[in-house]
Amino acid sequence: RLGNIQVLELPSGEEVISALSWYRQSRLIQYAEPDYALSAALSPNDPNYAGGDLWFLHNTGQNGGVADADIDAPEGWDIQNNASNVIVAVIDSGVRYTHQDLAANMWINPGEIPGNGIDDDGNGFVDDVPRD
């Protein structure tokens, strides 16, 4: 039991889909989700990852590091490895939008005409687009 959440083990022979259907129709249950064990089979093609330089993504103890002192990125890649429809906002320290891994995917404000000195989209900021 986790706070107001319960994890249940189904009886032998019980199908997950039918159990979910029953729980989801019950007026006593707020929500029901399967709890599957997953493992990663994908990894990035970035040579810095393969070379161990990105230890914070997957630390095996390379370069004298502490094994598993990382963000467990490989565990998530089978679940989600494409976020082309996601817009990420960096709110504090900024971002180097010309970085080779980011440049082709940077969002550009479609409501602005760069360099014309006018707040085209009316949001209170003049020419709010990345600058070189």
Side-chain angles (χ1 to χ4, degrees):
R1 187 176 171 117
L2 307 169
N4 204 20
I5 296 175
Q6 294 183 2
V7 178
L8 305 175
E9 186 173 335
L10 296 178
S12 180
E14 177 87 30
E15 294 291 326
V16 172
I17 299 300
S18 62
L20 280 174
S21 177
W22 186 87
Y23 283 114
R24 287 175 177 165
Q25 291 175 15
S26 170
R27 293 183 182 181
L28 300 174
I29 308 296
Q30 186 173 5
Y31 65 92
E33 299 294 331
D35 183 24
Y36 294 114
L38 301 172
S39 61
L42 297 173
S43 61
N45 61 0
D46 186 327
N48 290 317
Y49 176 80
D53 295 332
L54 303 178
W55 58 266
F56 47 87
L57 296 177
H58 184 59
N59 194 334
T60 60
Q62 68 270 39
N63 304 322
V66 177
D68 206 32
D70 55 42
I71 64 168
D72 291 331
E75 288 82 341
W77 284 322
D78 266 355
I79 298 167
Q80 179 72 36
N81 58 47
N82 182 334
S84 59
N85 62 336
V86 174
I87 296 174
V88 176
V90 177
I91 310 279
D92 184 20
S93 59
V95 63
R96 184 163 57 109
Y97 61 89
T98 57
H99 187 280
Q100 71 241 14
D101 290 341
L102 303 177
N105 296 302
M106 291 302 295
W107 180 80
I108 305 295
N109 185 347
E112 284 291 341
I113 300 170
N116 69 355
I118 299 171
D119 176 17
D120 300 296
D121 61 3
N123 68 356
F125 299 96
V126 174
D127 292 339
D128 52 326
V129 295
R131 296 169 181 50
D132 291 332

